[in-house]
Amino acid sequence: MANELMKPFAVNIDFQRGTISAPARVLRRTLKDLEGLFYDEEEYRRILAKEDPLLYEVYEVPVPNEEGHLLSCTTIIYPGKVGKEYYFTKGHFHEKEDRAEIYTCLQGEGYLLMHTRSGDVASIHMTPGVSAYIPPYWSHRTLNCGSEPFIFYGVWPGDAGHDYGSIKEEGFPLRVFEENGVPVVKKI
Ligand code: M6P
Ligand code: ZN
């Protein structure tokens, strides 16, 4: 019985660079992966016609995507904008919507945006040391509003899953634009 149990292990997280040693998977999303998500569609197409910049990378700790386990990863969002809107992650609900998540900022500056299906919205300004709790039933998207990479570490239940569908179809009700050199959170 005992030899069927998973063995304890550790990884190293580089707090400055945001990388994890021996990740299960490194996910890289470029501008074309976020089609239909930015506010300024025209500007999105104009940039994409010239280049396809890397927006963010995710380093996952190798753990099964199963009930009982805790998944974790770092996310590195690079600085940049499409029009006045800062680079962001796709954003998702959990497939099992009653699963929560914790994001802890390691480097840089960003925002965590959240909403519920019943129309509540929330945002948290993320700077190093800020550890945000995303309760069950809240979607989550992050963005980099600084000039350096924005890096955070996330932990969530192994069976949560990702549901991108409704955000792709309906859009995210909170957006952050640069206005007069500062980030402004807007409800759309
Ligand atoms: C965080 C976690 C991951 C997620 C990643 C990128 O690190 O929530 O589960 O994959 O952000 O976000 P998204 O999948 O919405 O692009
Ligand atoms: Zn999540």
Side-chain angles (χ1 to χ4, degrees), residues 15-140:
F15 280 26
Q16 270 77 46
R17 291 200 179 90
T19 52
I20 294 186
S21 64
R25 189 168 74 118
V26 183
L27 179 75
R28 294 193 170 87
R29 292 212 214 273
T30 63
L31 191 62
K32 84 168 155 31
D33 297 315
L34 277 78
E35 190 180 5
L37 297 179
F38 283 96
Y39 188 75
D40 189 341
E41 282 274 339
E42 206 174 298
E43 185 61 11
Y44 176 85
R45 287 186 203 301
R46 203 187 60 74
I47 299 169
L48 204 53
K50 289 188 304 184
E51 54 175 343
D52 184 20
L54 177 64
L55 268 51
Y56 59 100
E57 296 177 284
V58 178
Y59 287 74
E60 293 181 3
V61 176
V63 162
N65 291 32
E66 290 168 9
E67 185 179 0
H69 285 283
L70 287 174
L71 298 171
S72 67
C73 70
T74 52
T75 303
I76 307 162
I77 309 179
Y78 292 98
K81 294 193 294 284
V82 173
K84 293 177 183 243
E85 193 174 23
Y86 300 97
Y87 285 177
F88 53 56
T89 58
K90 287 174 77 169
H92 60 270
F93 286 95
H94 290 149
E95 271 171 50
K96 293 197 173 168
E97 293 201 11
D98 62 353
R99 302 302 198 255
E101 187 155 357
I102 292 172
Y103 283 175
T104 303
C105 179
L106 306 180
Q107 283 288 328
E109 181 188 357
Y111 273 90
L112 163 62
L113 306 177
M114 294 160 282
H115 83 291
T116 65
R117 297 212 185 263
S118 51
D120 287 328
V121 294
S123 66
I124 292 178
H125 186 215
M126 303 288 288
T127 53
V130 174
S131 187
Y133 188 67
I134 303 160
Y137 302 104
W138 286 78
S139 72
H140 30 293

